[in-house]
Each structure stands twice: as C-alpha cells, then as structure tokens.
Amino acid sequence: MNPLSQNRLFELARPARPRWPRPLLKLYPMAVTLYALGTPFIAAILMAVPMALYYLFLSPRLAAPMALPATAAGLSGLLVGGFAPIFILVWLWVMLIERRSPWSVGLEKRGWLRKYLRGALVGLGMSGAAVILPAALGYYHLEGGFDLSGGGSAALILALGWGVQGAGEEVLFRGFLFPILGVHYGAGAGVLASSFLFALMHIFNPNPNLLALLNLTLFGVFAAIYAAREGSLWGIFAVHSAWNWALANLFGLEVSGLPLQVQPLLNLSEAGPDWLTGGLFGPEGGIMVTLILLAGILTVLWPGRRASTNEPA
C-alpha cells in the first residue's frame, strides 16, 4: 500500500458524513473541487469593499491605479484580508457539509510550534538556495547594501501577511482538497490533482510561463507529500510563508510574478538568462527552482522517513 495513504490527514477526512443526496455521492469530489477553485474568488469578493476604500482614501503612494500597495502595512493588510477568509470558507464547508471538526483539516495542535519552526527553516533554506546558488555564479547582482532600517521594518510587518497568505493557500489545497480527493481516488491522484489545480490558480499572475506553471505544480507535489508525511499543515504553512517572505523581503525579488513595492533587506537584480533566474516571474519561473523542488520531493519521499499514521499531529 502507498505509505502516503496512511497519514493523519486522510484519517481525519475519511469519517466525513457529507450532507449530500446518496445518488449524487459519486459527484461529491467534483463538488469539493469546484468549491475549492471558487473559494479564492469568493474571498476576493469579500475583500472588494475594504480594498476599494483602501485604494480610494488610504493609499496615496500607489505606483499605478489598482497596483499593489506601496507600503508594507498596506500590503500586509491586503494579504491578511484576502486570504484569511479562506479559512472561514473551508471551515464552513467541513462543518456544515461534512459534519467534522474545523481542526480536522490538518490543524491539530500537538507539536504545532516545533513543526512550524522546522518548516520555516526548510522554506528559508529552499528559497535561499534558489537565489544564492545563481548569485554565486554572477546571475544576481546586489544593488546597494544590507538595509536593516527600512527593509527590517517591512520584513517584520509583512511576516504576518505572508504567514496568513501561505497558510490560506495550504489549508485550501493541502488541508481540504488533497485529503478528500486522496480518500476517494487514491493518494497519487490526490497529490497530482491538487497540485495541478494549485498551479492553475496562479495563471492570472503577471508574466507566467510554462516553466513557472511546472514549478508551481512541483511545489504543490512537494507540499502535499510534506504535509502527508507530517500528518499536519503546520510545517507546510511555514515552508510556504517563509519561501515567499524570503523572495520578497530578504532578496527583493518577484513572488510568483508579483513585483512588490516595499523595501527589502537585500535588493537583488537579475543578470542571468530568464530560464535560470525566472525573469519577470521571479525565481519560481527558473530552472534552479525546478531542481530544488525535485530535490525536495525526493527528500520527503526518502524511504527512511517515517510517515505519519495513527499518531495525532
């Protein structure tokens, strides 16, 4: 049996008793998939009014109409407001439709801090390798020095925003969609389907390319296996958030194509080919991230690693 099928996330999803007409139960995974794809858009609609007020009255420093906020506080507020509702929408589904606990989407509290801190180190290590290795070959140049004054305050403020953003995407795709699809169709199908849909949700970001979509899919595969191995989302919450924080606030690079108008700790500019550095999409559009994600997937799949089974996370 696939060891990924024996993990805490699947155990928590299996006892669900959907409030669903029995003849239509076979369509239930499709309904879950459609709901998961619609959730980010519903969350965006919920944010439409406060965002409009922000753009109209509170943000004189916008680089262009409807651009991302040009302040760390504004961007952090946008990330929190845009992704926090995802938790509420997922919890409403699992409580009202599946009649299970909101914590059953991988949020059991045992060992949460240890897993989160370890995940943060993994995320920093992976994103750091994606930038530092090409920089050592001269493919990134440092513009100026280490800015702890402006960049430090932005980094602290945006840590909250990235924390909520990364966790919101993970609870939707790895805590909600992946286990339900995995229980119905098998672990492999759950990993691939949830990862592909995760990548698809980024197709509206600026400057995507085929390599970027491949890398986003590979990150989804890595994240699903990582979460399944731990039987919890706390670690992958931190991996995802630390990855984005490091690219934006540590290195000053684009995150999935989004150029952020905030002061980073280090301001790097690319000086290499787009296929390696990712070009306008940022490092996630380059081959270096492909290699790092493949290495990460092989590491979490290594047979010596213990899969989480019956022990609560």
Side-chain angles (χ1 to χ4, degrees):
M1 179 180 292
N2 187 338
L4 292 181
S5 298
Q6 299 176 305
N7 70 81
R8 184 65 179 166
L9 296 180
F10 284 18
E11 290 177 1
L12 292 169
R14 283 192 183 101
R17 295 174 291 117
R19 299 179 186 271
W20 204 257
R22 186 172 296 274
L24 299 179
L25 279 178
K26 289 185 178 180
L27 299 177
Y28 185 72
M30 183 181 298
V32 168
T33 300
L34 293 175
Y35 184 77
L37 291 176
T39 291
F41 298 101
I42 299 172
I45 292 171
L46 293 175
M47 270 294 295
V49 172
M51 279 180 62
L53 293 174
Y54 175 84
Y55 283 116
L56 287 173
F57 301 111
L58 300 178
S59 184
R61 295 179 56 197
L62 287 177
M66 298 308 293
L68 290 173
T71 65
L75 179 56
S76 187
L78 187 62
L79 290 171
V80 172
F83 288 89
I86 291 177
F87 279 88
I88 298 173
L89 293 168
V90 168
W91 286 338
L92 285 174
W93 182 281
V94 298
M95 288 189 295
L96 299 179
I97 305 297
E98 298 194 354
R99 293 179 283 188
R100 58 183 170 116
S101 164
W103 315 117
S104 64
V105 291
L107 299 178
E108 294 174 305
K109 65 180 181 179
R110 182 174 178 180
W112 74 270
L113 182 58
R114 170 176 52 84
K115 293 174 182 177
Y116 197 91
L117 293 176
R118 180 171 60 200
L121 292 176
V122 172
L124 290 174
M126 293 177 70
S127 59
V131 175
I132 293 172
L133 292 178
L137 299 174
Y139 294 132
Y140 285 108
H141 290 164
L142 179 62
E143 304 288 340
F146 183 75
D147 183 1
L148 187 58
S149 55
S153 59
L156 288 175
I157 293 170
L158 273 163
L160 172 62
W162 292 124
V164 174
Q165 180 269 335
E169 290 191 352
E170 291 305 319
V171 80
L172 179 61
F173 287 99
R174 259 65 73 174
F176 177 60
L177 185 60
F178 163 54
I180 293 176
L181 295 181
V183 165
H184 283 82
Y185 300 126
V191 169
L192 292 177
S194 61
S195 301
F196 174 75
L197 293 172
F198 169 76
L200 187 64
M201 292 302 295
H202 292 77
I203 199 170
F204 301 107
N205 286 29
N207 306 303
N209 55 52
L210 289 178
L211 188 54
L213 295 177
L214 171 63
N215 286 340
L216 289 166
T217 302
L218 289 176
F219 180 84
V221 172
F222 169 80
I225 298 172
Y226 189 104
R229 286 290 189 174
E230 281 199 338
S232 166
L233 294 188
W234 295 108
I236 199 61
F237 279 178
V239 172
H240 195 148
S241 299
W243 173 288
N244 288 347
W245 178 89
L247 292 184
N249 292 103
L250 180 57
F251 300 119
L253 299 170
E254 291 85 356
V255 178
S256 299
L258 298 174
L260 306 179
Q261 306 296 320
V262 295
Q263 182 65 42
L265 291 167
L266 298 171
N267 190 10
L268 298 182
S269 61
E270 60 172 281
D274 288 353
W275 61 265
L276 185 102
T277 64
L280 294 176
F281 196 80
E284 292 163 320
I287 195 69
M288 184 60 66
V289 165
T290 309
L291 299 175
I292 288 170
L293 289 172
L294 288 173
I297 291 169
L298 292 175
T299 300
V300 293
L301 279 175
W302 191 257
R305 289 182 57 85
R306 179 183 63 85
S308 177
T309 54
N310 295 319
E311 181 183 354

